[in-house]
Amino acid sequence: MEWKDMTPDDLRNAWRKSAERIQSPCPLMNTCCDIDALMSRQTSQQRLVRNYRRFSIISCLMTFSSTLFYYSEIFPKSGRIVVTLLLIFYFGICCGMDYWLYKKTSSINIYDMSVEAVATIANLCRRRHQQFMLVLIPYAAVLLGVFIYFPLKEGEDGLWYGAVAGGIVGGCIGFRKYLEIMRDYRHLSDE
């Protein structure tokens, strides 16, 4: 029966039946999909916000804990000041950059903003992230060089190996995280 041919009573009955179907639990709901898994899924924007918030907090904590290198016996007295200042400066830059990206990505509202506005902010943040990496990666290489230079100068082979291994592992983890973040930016621009 077409809706044009329905009487008011037919419309009321059809309305009640549709309401009953909506309110009744779907028998396939538990077998087809896990509602908890659907509810816990995060959007690309939520993952970006979570990652940048986490990165900025860790960077802030590392900025303050870098002062402990001044009291470390690993480096000679002149090297302690250099390493401590380089680390404080590096993690301070990381904290500021990640906090800016956190604020910018959390300002995206996909429900109220136009698609163009969301894509513009996502592209801006993606470009800034890449520019920040162009600054921070060479700086990290210099830091790694400092961590290798002072132990070699003092004849500490174990510290040199540890610095190289830490640089390789950190580089691999960082590269994987970078690819995940770029994938989230692509998805956010597409959404």
Side-chain angles (χ1 to χ4, degrees):
M1 177 184 278
E2 248 183 78
W3 66 272
K4 294 178 192 174
D5 301 329
M6 292 179 124
T7 64
D9 289 330
D10 292 335
L11 283 172
R12 271 192 286 274
N13 289 335
W15 185 258
R16 277 192 208 111
K17 286 180 185 176
S18 66
E20 288 171 5
R21 275 185 285 187
I22 290 172
Q23 291 172 354
S24 68
C26 176
L28 299 176
M29 180 61 86
N30 294 332
T31 58
C32 289
C33 58
D34 184 10
I35 193 73
D36 292 331
L38 287 175
M39 295 305 288
S40 66
R41 265 188 92 194
Q42 291 190 330
T43 64
S44 299
Q45 189 243 356
Q46 290 169 331
R47 280 192 302 272
L48 286 168
V49 168
R50 185 189 70 213
N51 280 331
Y52 286 131
R53 182 177 51 235
R54 183 183 313 139
F55 294 160
S56 65
I57 290 170
I58 290 170
S59 297
C60 184
L61 292 174
M62 289 302 294
T63 301
F64 294 113
S65 66
S66 294
T67 57
L68 298 175
F69 274 93
Y70 182 73
Y71 303 104
S72 172
E73 297 294 325
I74 296 172
F75 302 105
K77 188 113 173 117
S78 62
R80 291 182 210 163
I81 295 170
V82 171
V83 169
T84 302
L85 291 176
L86 286 173
L87 285 171
I88 288 172
F89 189 65
Y90 178 78
F91 287 117
I93 291 172
C94 290
C95 181
M97 291 176 174
D98 289 332
Y99 185 74
W100 185 87
L101 287 166
Y102 161 70
K103 293 302 277 184
K104 204 69 168 163
T105 54
S106 63
S107 72
I108 296 173
N109 186 344
I110 58 174
Y111 301 109
D112 293 337
M113 298 173 113
S114 67
V115 173
E116 182 182 355
V118 170
T120 302
I121 293 174
N123 286 331
L124 171 72
C125 291
R126 183 179 45 118
R127 275 194 314 271
R128 289 294 179 264
H129 182 98
Q130 291 171 338
Q131 290 169 347
F132 293 160
M133 291 297 100
L134 287 174
V135 170
L136 292 174
I137 289 172
Y139 194 98
V142 168
L143 270 173
L144 184 62
V146 168
F147 271 89
I148 291 172
Y149 171 75
F150 283 113
L152 279 178
K153 185 178 171 187
E154 297 294 315
E156 298 281 339
D157 288 337
L159 293 176
W160 180 82
Y161 295 133
V164 170
I168 291 170
V169 170
C172 291
I173 292 171
F175 185 68
R176 190 181 119 248
K177 203 64 176 167
Y178 172 78
L179 292 177
E180 288 176 11
I181 288 173
M182 290 300 118
R183 184 190 68 227
D184 284 337
Y185 276 124
R186 254 190 326 276
H187 289 208
L188 185 60
S189 295
D190 294 344
E191 291 172 358

